[in-house]
Amino acid sequence: MENSSKYSAFTCAQTQTNAIVTNTFVTDTKVPFRPPQHLPAWTMLQQRANELANTSGLALFAADPARAARLTLQSGALYADFSKQRIDAASVSALLQLAAEAGLEGGVRSLFKGERVNFTEQRAAAHMALRGSCPAPDAKGSDTSAVRSFVHALQRGELKGASGQTIRHLVNIGIGGSDLGPRLAAEALTPVSSAPRLKVDFVANIDPRELDEVLSRSEPATTLFVISSKSFSTAETLANAEAARSWLRAGLGDSADLGLHFAAVSNAVTAAAAFGVAADRVFPLPEWVGGRYSVWSAIGLPLMAAIGESAFDAFLAGAGAMDAHFRDTPFERNLPVWMGLIGLWNTDFLGFETLGVLPYAHGLRNFPAWLQQLEMESNGKRTLRDGSTTAVATSPIVWGGVGTVGQHAFHQLFYQGTRGVPLDFIVPVGDDNPRQCGLVDNAFAQAAALMAGRDLDTARAALRQRGMDQAAAERLAPHLVSPGNQPSTTLLMPQLDAFHLGQLMALYEHKIFVQGWIWGINPFDQYGVELGKDMARALASGEGATPDASTASLMAMAARFRQGG
Ligand code: F6P
């Protein structure tokens, strides 16, 4: 069950010092850093967590009937209800004190001033500049006018392929941040149409099946591939780009001008040109925008193509509204600050290991995948600003799936399993179509039932009411018991449109900043993933150290399978 003796899953070196550590990296923010467990509020929070560990959500409501109003916040039309979390006024005030002691206000100022909060790479993390919310640290890559002209030409049918036919299909080839954000937003916002003027697809995996599926419904003469890769060096993307080129060549002939079927979003102009993309079709993005924060930049090209420029601008405006809220609202009413603090409370004080994200919208089916990269690639780290190792747990394992589909699959564990699972319900209300209303009611019902649970007496009485005899009801009732008390946040928005999606995505971006700041880690690098990439390269090339015995025998077995053995 839940574990309040923090950070049990890994053996982790304890930070040795209680002293304020001079920050050797963030030289320009001047905000001193102390590991969070050395801040006075940390101890208060530990005490409060022990007191609340066995308090049920219903008991919290009974003790404070006004908590539904007290523990809700609003930013524009985005409404967040935290009252089903295992928090009370004292824990919220201690969490706000923790934010103050950690110098979060200075951190937010540094972020918006474009200081080098990405301290290991000595860069700003100024994705908010792309939504007009702060100055760009430098102009390079932030102007999207070339992207916009290209998308206009595409949408007006002015771009022709090698055989003179109009381009009607855009296939984005990219992975990670060069895929997940635009894919999520395009799925959520593309109007449903049986005959779109421009079809947009996304391919990420090196598994040939994904590209093959898209190619099977594509025409070489009318298809444009956008190679989206900030680095233009990502193995999966380059392999798929090569495969796309071979497919075009096979369909259009060796002498066709294949350059008419490619564009790229990348900062590696030379590498893109070497691949065969014309210089005026390579769209850069700023270096101060990390991959998983890049949907707002030129990486949004396929999204803009799918939804149009004005919807893309509404998407930016929604994110900009959340930036302004985060930057200017006192922490007592600040939505990303609360999201970050309550997540930290669940992770570090109540000992929950995961965060389940449950969008009640088919259009948001890739929201959990997008959030996994955003949250786990950002805060799935252990080394602090001062070079020491964290003594507290950092990012939870983020996972999820859409409602109501998940209700018929994994919700059983929430009701009767042995684990506490904090959940974010994301609920666009939409119109009064009865099926839409049913969807929304289901989200509310799940959050309510998971908090309330069902005790033995209620279970027994329900069975008796159904006509079951006393003995049978006694036998079966324990199997109907549900302890409840699963904490959740419900995020409600009027509808799933470009503005509100932008707001929602920026909310999570800033929540991650809040947590990373307090933990003292850098949310904006990703050195960890390089290890796996190096290993994949070494195995593919046969160079480097001999693989371990397990890996060597797996490789040998795979070779046998390939030969039909
Ligand atoms: O491997 C991780 C990563 O670098 C992500 O951070 C990034 O979003 C993704 O790969 C794709 O990178 P690129 O856009 O350079 O191909």
Side-chain angles (χ1 to χ4, degrees), residues 378-420:
S378 295
N379 283 344
K381 295 174 191 159
R382 51 176 52 215
T383 307
L384 305 183
R385 278 191 243 168
D386 60 4
S388 66
T389 303
T390 186
V392 306
T394 57
S395 173
I397 297 162
V398 178
W399 63 279
V402 282
T404 63
V405 177
Q407 292 175 202
H408 301 273
F410 51 78
H411 284 217
Q412 164 64 32
L413 179 146
F414 308 155
Y415 285 106
Q416 294 189 307
T418 55
R419 295 169 195 283

Side-chain angles (χ1 to χ4, degrees), residues 175-178 228-234 237 291-292 299 373 377 526 529-530 533:
I175 198 163
S178 300
S228 291
S229 175
K230 188 175 171 186
S231 62
F232 217 87
S233 68
T234 302
T237 299
R292 52 196 174 274
I299 288 288
Q373 187 199 13
E377 196 168 83
Q526 57 282 322
V529 290
E530 298 305 327
K533 288 187 196 173

